[in-house]
Amino acid sequence: QVQLVESGGGSVQAGGSLRLSCAASGSILGIANMGWYRQAPGKQRELVATITGGGFTNYADSVKGRFTISRDNVKNEVYLQMTSLTPEDTAVYYCNAEMAVMGVRHTSFYWGQGTQVTVSS
C-alpha cells in the first residue's frame, strides 16, 4: 500500500511563511513528477507547483516568486516553501505524486489527504 502524508500546514498572518512537507511511503519502485495543488472553499482544485525527478519546476502564476518547490529523492519527500503569504493563499493543500508501485503495471497518480493553510489579514 502506498500513501502520501502532508504536514506543516497551519495558520499564519499575511506576509508570513510556512513550509509544507509530503512524505511518500509504501511499496514504491520510483517517483516521477511530484507536486502541490490547493483547493479553496467553493473553488476547484488548482495546481500550485510541480517538480520533475530531475528537478525541473513549474509554478502557477499566482505563486511565482513567493513559493519554492523542492524534493528529496532519497527520502521520497517533496516540500513547498511558502513566503509572503496572503489571504488568497488560504486553502487545503494537497500533495500529488506520479509513482510506480509494486504490483501495478503502470505509473499512477496518488494524492495525500491534504493540509489546511489559513492566512489571516
Side-chain angles (χ1 to χ4, degrees):
Q1 195 167 2
V2 175
Q3 62 176 350
L4 296 171
V5 179
E6 300 105 334
S7 61
S11 297
V12 65
Q13 289 192 326
S17 300
L18 282 174
R19 185 174 187 257
L20 305 182
S21 299
C22 173
S25 63
S27 303
I28 300 168
L29 299 175
I31 304 178
N33 299 323
M34 303 185 82
W36 290 94
Y37 291 72
R38 66 186 181 186
Q39 187 166 18
K43 295 187 177 181
Q44 289 188 330
R45 190 173 298 188
E46 64 177 5
L47 179 147
V48 176
T50 60
I51 184 168
T52 67
F56 290 99
T57 59
N58 178 55
Y59 296 93
D61 288 342
S62 59
V63 307
K64 281 181 181 177
R66 301 188 299 122
F67 291 10
T68 303
I69 189 171
S70 60
R71 64 188 284 175
D72 185 324
N73 291 332
V74 174
K75 294 182 178 179
N76 287 341
E77 295 183 356
V78 62
Y79 314 100
L80 186 68
Q81 178 67 49
M82 305 185 292
T83 64
S84 301
L85 286 161
T86 74
E88 288 69 38
D89 295 316
T90 296
V92 177
Y93 283 71
Y94 296 91
C95 173
N96 174 268
E98 182 183 10
M99 298 190 285
V101 174
M102 192 175 298
V104 180
R105 180 173 295 182
H106 303 292
T107 61
S108 298
F109 288 92
Y110 295 84
W111 292 92
Q113 80 287 352
T115 185
Q116 177 70 46
V117 171
T118 302
V119 184
S120 58
S121 57

